[in-house]
Structures are given as structure tokens and as C-alpha cells.
Amino acid sequence: MRKIFIISTSILMLLAESVVSQELPKVKVKTTYDSINNKILLRWAPDNSNFWVLANEYGYTIEKYFYQRDGELLNIPLKRDILIENLKPKTLDEWEDIVQTNDYAAIAAQSVYGKGINLNNSQNGIISIVNKEKEIKSRFSFTLFAADQSIEVASYLGLYYEDLNVKENERYLYRVFANVPDSVMSADTASIYYGPDDFSPLPSPLTESIVQEEDYVVLKWLSAPYRNVFSSYIVERSFGGENFEAVNTLPQINFNSGPQKRNVFSTYVDTTSYSGKAYYRIIGKNTFGQLSPPSDTLSIKKLEPFVVPIPQIDSVQFDNSNNNIFWSAKGDVEFIEKVFLEKSDKSEGNYQLIQLDSISRNHVLRDPLPDEINYYRVGITAGDHIKYTLPFLFQNIDSIPPAKPRFSNYFVKDSLLHLSWNANHEDDIAGYRVYKSQKPDAEPSLIYDKNKLDTIAIFEENLSLINNERYYYLVAFDQNGNASDLSERIRVELPDIVPPSPPIISSIVQEGDSLKIDFIGSSSKDVEGYLLYRKIDNSLYKLISQFGLSNKQIIDVVEIEGDYRYRLIALDKARNEAVSKAYPIKVRFKTQREIDYKIIENEDSFEIMWEVSLATKVTIVKVYYKIGEQFNLIKEVDVNQGLLELEKGNRIKENIKLIFI
């Protein structure tokens, strides 16, 4: 009796690639051992379609090297046997008998010797080349598919060899290569080490499940770990637990477990009409035609076909804190075994079991803890079937508002205010509202009302206002419109970018070497202090004083004559500045005298000499040194001294100036 195979791995067991590669084409080889007949079996295949066409034309050569004996490596050079040369597919006439009894032989013969596609003259050269390439790849794929399913076909294709000269204590190196000249196509040689001790028996397939669906039996088994072990499977059935036979006599190709590696399981659907208990098992078959031990046996009691009942929810009623769900079913209700109630807060959500019981004769199920929003569905079990109703929405009346929400934090970046709050824990929260006021005792106005569960809101604030304080309140509302009380307010202090009002220098009066500066301070409430800058002649403004709010007059002691200008700057808490108008004043000293003096520059010092007559009313000499545009006092001596030695350092002679007072 012929056994029918289910293909569970890729069409190309030895090779699943026909893509163009940068690597040299080559032959891929596999081996196994037939311990009963003491022979080593070899199967190979080229790795691309164009190489396959040339290999069929030039044939294959198999070399054997005696590599190891009794666990010891043999001396080099190894003994070499040429097992076969010029092995090619059999001629078309030799296929005539086998195609009558082997469907895979017909596929292989057609792929090797069948007529090609008709390329009419209307096709241009590129289209002809593309069509021809597709045809060769298709023939190549079907050829290797047929060889994987029948070892006899593999032999006819020149892709199989049996080495009968085998000893159990030896190990061999086999080399398989196509005799294609390098001038036609360069290709690699396949090599493999193998001996009888390398043989391991085939594993048993692992069954997963067996179920009845409608009038069919669906069998599932694990196939992913065996993709490179089995090329096909045999499904066997028995009605008594013994004398298993193949399920049917026609080929059943299981595309569900095809070349896509994401398929972990293979399945078979037995459509045979029968009732009662049956037993199933799986046998794996490799590319050498060897069969694995059978899998564990799965049994099933197949029931007579029946119309699976379809349940429906008729109505839901609220009664004494319970929701009562009234349901019915159409079909063969006598087959209903269990009925159960499930609930979710969304129609497509995660349903939770509420009640499970045997068939309820009054067709009423009960939810003792209903929520405000309830999506119900009723399920029934009948045999191996489970049927559900469509989701049924029932809303209970809710008048309880959510808890008062709380702000958690805020921050301001540029002019954008980011407000965040803690999420409420009620299941029916629908969204939040935000209110704002400019003052703590003012009525807040609504600025945000969203049916969202976000816990952060962003607002653009006007930073040019004098008042930089804002007060915000939060309200949560549920899906029935119930609103919470206003939250505790959160005080937000925005960045202060508004400068204070500028101060005014009202007067400057010179008294000797002192200037009395009176001013009117800034009227802004957030001013924290003042900075006084002074400019002499063409010099830059220089900070000469920093003081707080208590000062109303500043005394500046001056030491040289010149055109002075003063500016007063007010600083607020945010360090914003307001600058007064410049106030000019000419500084002159009545007792200042122009007296000649002489500066002698030495290597590391300056000698300064002067003479003053007794009639000149001068008592003090002040020595200044100019840095940039500013003269700075560096020494003050008695005029009668007449001589002063000054350390040179980095100073230059031209920047030294004496004032006699």
C-alpha cells in the first residue's frame, strides 16, 4: 500500500535558495547510514538553477578518501577511490516506466526534459531573457522538490548514490563536484566526513493536539525543530489502537508548514466521515526515504455533526444592586454543556469571567458587582466548540462625582507653562478642566476642557504683564458628566521679563573733591537695589557703587578734573534693569596748580622730581596712572618731598600724571 506524505518543510530540503549570490556556485551534500544493509547514502544538490543546468550536462563525480580507522587518523596521502564519474540524469526513455507509478517522477521528468515556454518574435531580448531565467528557476525548484519526496526520483536525477563498500570501524571523506569546466563556470566542491559511528536514529515527531471542528478532525504536531530532519510526514489512523494505516491515498501537501520559518506547527485536516473513537499518529520521513519511529498516539471521540447553538443577549435589567442578563440560543441547544458570562469596560477589551455554570434553564445570568459601563457577552460550550454573543452594552446610572484632583508640579520654559497633576483612580474618569485667575481672590475662568486622560497641559502665557503671578484650579469629570470640586489652587510664578521703571538723578553738587548725588528711586515694587556708573571725559562707564533701597543720596569722591557723566540703574528681583538718563557735570578743583615735574625712566623704576616755590600754596602731590581711558590714583605724598621713586613693573612713562593740590 502506498503511503501519502504531507510536506512540512521547505520545498528544497537540501537547498532553499535560488537567489543570485556573489559566492561561487557549489554542491551541497548530506549523508546517512543504512545499518540494516551496511551502506552509506549520499544526497546532494547544486545551489542555483544555472549551475544545475550545467551539472546535468557535464555530470557529477564522487570521490572517497579513507580518513580514519578504529578511531585513528590514517597516514597521508589518504587512499582515494573514485566511486563514480560522469553521473547524469537518466535519459528520457529510461524515465518511461517510473513515471507510470511515481507521481514525483513525472514532475522531475517534465522539469528536466519538458518543452520550454514559447517565446514569440514580439518579445524583445530583455523580456526573453527574463522569461527564460524564470523558467529555469521554476524547473530547478520542482526538480529538487521531487527529489526530496522520492529517493528513487533523486537517483534518476543523478542526485543520489549508495556506497556499499563500508566498514563499521572506518570513517571517510566524500567529495562531490560537478564536472563543469572552469572556463564555463567556476564552482566549489562539496566535502563531508562520515562513517557508521556518525549515524543517529531519527527522532519521533511530537504531537501537539487533536480537535474536532464541525465534522472534521484537525491534528497538529510540532515541525519547526525538524525542518532539516524530515522532508515530509505520514499521518496514520486506527480505529482500534492497532493496525495503523495512512489516512488517505492521495497526496496532501501541507502548505501551512511551508518554507516560512514562523510556522512552528504543521496541521492535517481529516475530512473522512465517521463517528466514534479514533487514534492518530505521525511518522517522519527524511530525504533518504528513511522513516522515523511513530509519534505518541492521540485519540479523539468524534461526535455526530450537529448545528452549534448560537447564543444572544436579549436584555439586561438592574435589580437590587445586580445586573440580570437575559439570554437565549438558536440551534441544537441540547448539546450545550456550559454557559458563562464575561464582562469588560470596552467592546473589544479584555473580558473577565463573571459566572460559569451548567446550562441555566431560566436563561438568566447575574452580575452582582456591576460597573457604570458594562460590556457583557455570554458564551456557551458544545463539544469542542465555544460560541459567544455579540458584546452588549449596559450603563448603570452614576451620580457620584470623582474625587478632587491635585496638581503635582509645574515649570515654565520661554513663554510656555507646563502644568501637571496626579491622575484620578476612578475607572470612569473622562477628562479634566483647568481654570485660571490673575489674583488669589478673583473668580477663575475656564481655559482647558478636554475629554482626555492626559495629566499634563501646556499654555502660552503673556510675560509682558507687570503681574507675573497666576493661580490655577483643576476639576475632574467622569463619563456621565459628574464633576469634582475645584482642586486646591496652585500658585505659578512666571518669569519676570518686564524691567522696572527707571530712576531719576535729580541733582549733583560738587563740594571740594566730593559730589553729592541726589536721585528719585524707581516706582516699581520689585526693585531690590541700584548700581551707579560714572564716566570721565571719553572713558567708558565704570561701576562705582552698588547699594540698596535705603540710600537716597550718594557721595562720590573725585580726584581729577574732567567732564563727568553719571547713570543710575535699578535692579528688580529677576535682575531686570532700568537705566536713568545720563547726568553731566564738570569737575574743577580751585586749589589745583600746574607745576612742572620730570620723570626719569630707569631699568626697574621711575624717578619723579619736582620743585615748588614757597609762594605756591600747594601741599599735596597725587600720582595717577592711566589704564585704558581711566586715571587711577596710585600714590599720594607731601609736596615738600620733591622726589618720588615709583616701581616700574608693566607701567609706561607716558601714562603717569601728577596733580598738585
Side-chain angles (χ1 to χ4, degrees), residues 258-520:
Q260 300 184 24
K261 294 185 178 181
R262 64 174 179 268
N263 296 311
V264 177
F265 297 98
S266 292
T267 58
Y268 174 75
V269 179
D270 184 6
T271 60
T272 307
S273 179
Y274 71 89
S275 61
K277 193 170 186 178
Y279 303 85
Y280 290 83
R281 69 184 187 184
I282 309 297
I283 295 176
K285 177 188 173 187
N286 66 9
T287 55
F288 296 96
Q290 297 173 320
L291 302 180
S292 73
S295 67
D296 292 339
T297 300
L298 294 178
S299 63
I300 188 172
K301 185 176 182 181
K302 187 178 179 184
L303 304 176
E304 290 288 346
F306 61 89
V307 178
V308 179
I310 301 176
Q312 67 180 32
I313 295 178
D314 298 321
S315 64
V316 178
Q317 297 179 6
F318 178 75
D319 180 27
N320 294 328
S321 75
N322 297 319
N323 279 349
N324 297 316
I325 295 87
F326 295 85
W327 67 278
S328 60
K330 296 179 180 180
D332 296 334
V333 295
E334 65 272 14
F335 289 99
I336 298 178
E337 299 170 353
K338 295 284 185 180
V339 61
F340 52 93
L341 175 66
E342 294 180 341
K343 181 176 69 172
S344 175
D345 59 350
K346 299 177 182 178
S347 61
E348 71 282 0
N350 182 25
Y351 283 86
Q352 303 296 320
L353 181 65
I354 301 298
Q355 182 180 349
L356 172 64
D357 207 346
S358 59
I359 179 65
S360 175
R361 297 303 174 187
N362 59 3
H363 286 202
V364 179
L365 297 170
R366 181 171 288 105
D367 179 8
L369 297 171
D371 299 312
E372 178 191 349
I373 296 177
N374 308 274
Y375 281 93
Y376 293 111
R377 69 178 185 181
V378 173
I380 60 100
T381 62
D384 293 325
H385 304 281
I386 298 178
K387 292 290 184 181
Y388 290 97
T389 66
L390 293 175
F392 191 100
L393 171 62
F394 186 79
Q395 291 182 277
N396 291 80
I397 298 175
D398 175 22
S399 61
I400 301 175
K404 185 165 60 175
R406 294 181 58 187
F407 283 107
S408 58
N409 198 2
Y410 81 90
F411 70 90
V412 181
K413 184 176 182 182
D414 297 327
S415 62
L416 296 180
L417 167 64
H418 298 248
L419 275 177
S420 59
W421 55 87
N422 300 322
N424 278 50
H425 298 297
E426 292 87 353
D427 294 334
D428 61 343
I429 285 293
Y432 298 90
R433 300 186 182 109
V434 178
Y435 295 81
K436 180 178 83 169
S437 67
Q438 303 285 349
K439 297 180 180 180
D441 54 352
E443 183 72 19
S445 57
L446 179 66
I447 61 170
Y448 176 92
D449 187 357
K450 298 288 186 181
N451 284 309
K452 293 182 178 179
L453 299 181
D454 297 340
T455 57
I456 186 170
I458 302 175
F459 306 100
E460 185 173 6
E461 289 288 352
N462 184 358
L463 303 182
S464 63
L465 300 178
I466 295 177
N467 178 18
N468 67 330
E469 292 183 350
R470 306 288 187 272
Y471 297 89
Y472 291 88
Y473 304 83
L474 186 64
V475 169
F477 60 92
D478 62 23
Q479 296 172 359
N480 284 321
N482 300 309
S484 72
D485 293 334
L486 281 175
S487 70
E488 299 298 326
R489 70 172 180 244
I490 183 172
R491 175 181 173 273
V492 172
E493 186 171 346
L494 301 175
D496 180 7
I497 64 171
V498 179
S501 62
I504 300 174
I505 299 176
S506 56
S507 67
I508 300 178
V509 178
Q510 180 178 357
E511 293 182 0
D513 62 351
S514 298
L515 298 179
K516 293 183 178 181
I517 304 171
D518 291 300
F519 67 94
I520 300 173

Side-chain angles (χ1 to χ4, degrees), residues 26-287:
K26 59 185 176 183
V27 175
K28 292 187 176 182
V29 63
K30 294 180 70 173
T31 59
T32 190
Y33 178 60
D34 182 352
S35 59
I36 297 177
N37 299 304
N38 191 32
K39 57 185 178 181
I40 290 178
L41 314 179
L42 291 90
R43 275 276 285 113
W44 62 90
D47 67 350
N48 73 57
S49 56
N50 292 322
F51 184 39
W52 167 70
V53 172
L54 293 172
N56 286 344
E57 178 182 350
Y58 290 96
Y60 299 93
T61 295
I62 305 175
E63 297 179 343
K64 175 183 178 182
Y65 293 83
F66 291 79
Y67 171 70
Q68 197 175 52
R69 184 178 293 116
D70 295 327
E72 299 290 335
L73 297 178
L74 300 180
N75 294 329
I76 297 176
L78 302 177
K79 179 184 177 183
R80 170 175 173 260
D81 283 349
I82 298 178
L83 299 182
I84 191 168
E85 290 183 296
N86 200 30
L87 177 60
K88 299 180 180 179
K90 292 187 180 296
T91 64
L92 181 59
D93 292 339
E94 293 176 295
W95 286 83
E96 185 174 354
D97 292 336
I98 188 176
V99 298
Q100 305 300 322
T101 58
N102 189 321
D103 292 336
Y104 298 114
I107 295 173
Q110 177 64 28
S111 299
V112 176
Y113 296 107
K115 292 183 179 180
I117 60 176
N118 184 20
L119 303 177
N120 58 56
N121 294 332
S122 64
Q123 293 178 321
N124 60 39
I126 295 178
I127 295 178
S128 299
I129 293 172
V130 170
N131 288 337
K132 188 65 177 176
E133 183 69 19
K134 289 181 179 178
E135 178 193 359
I136 293 174
K137 288 182 178 180
S138 178
R139 290 173 179 269
F140 174 61
S141 298
F142 279 115
T143 297
L144 295 191
F145 161 69
D148 282 347
Q149 307 312 312
S150 171
I151 199 66
E152 186 179 13
V153 171
S155 178
Y156 269 61
L157 289 169
L159 302 176
Y160 173 73
Y161 184 81
E162 297 180 354
D163 183 9
L164 304 178
N165 183 20
V166 174
K167 294 183 180 180
E168 294 185 357
N169 65 333
E170 292 182 342
R171 199 162 183 253
Y172 313 102
L173 167 63
Y174 293 95
R175 298 176 74 245
V176 181
F177 56 89
N179 302 321
V180 180
D182 287 343
S183 60
V184 177
M185 178 181 286
S186 298
D188 284 344
T189 299
S191 301
I192 190 168
Y193 296 95
Y194 196 80
D197 285 344
D198 296 317
F199 172 75
S200 58
L202 293 175
S204 299
L206 296 176
T207 53
E208 171 68 13
S209 63
I210 186 169
V211 295
Q212 179 179 350
E213 294 185 3
E214 305 296 341
D215 194 29
Y216 310 136
V217 172
V218 180
L219 182 67
K220 181 188 291 187
W221 66 94
L222 187 66
S223 59
Y226 308 116
R227 294 185 189 281
N228 296 321
V229 177
F230 300 126
S231 62
S232 58
Y233 295 90
I234 302 170
V235 179
E236 295 185 333
R237 182 186 64 206
S238 169
F239 291 110
E242 299 178 353
N243 302 321
F244 283 85
E245 296 181 356
V247 171
N248 50 17
T249 57
L250 293 176
Q252 175 68 38
I253 298 177
N254 193 346
F255 291 107
N256 186 48
S257 61
Q260 300 184 24
K261 294 185 178 181
R262 64 174 179 268
N263 296 311
V264 177
F265 297 98
S266 292
T267 58
Y268 174 75
V269 179
D270 184 6
T271 60
T272 307
S273 179
Y274 71 89
S275 61
K277 193 170 186 178
Y279 303 85
Y280 290 83
R281 69 184 187 184
I282 309 297
I283 295 176
K285 177 188 173 187
N286 66 9
T287 55

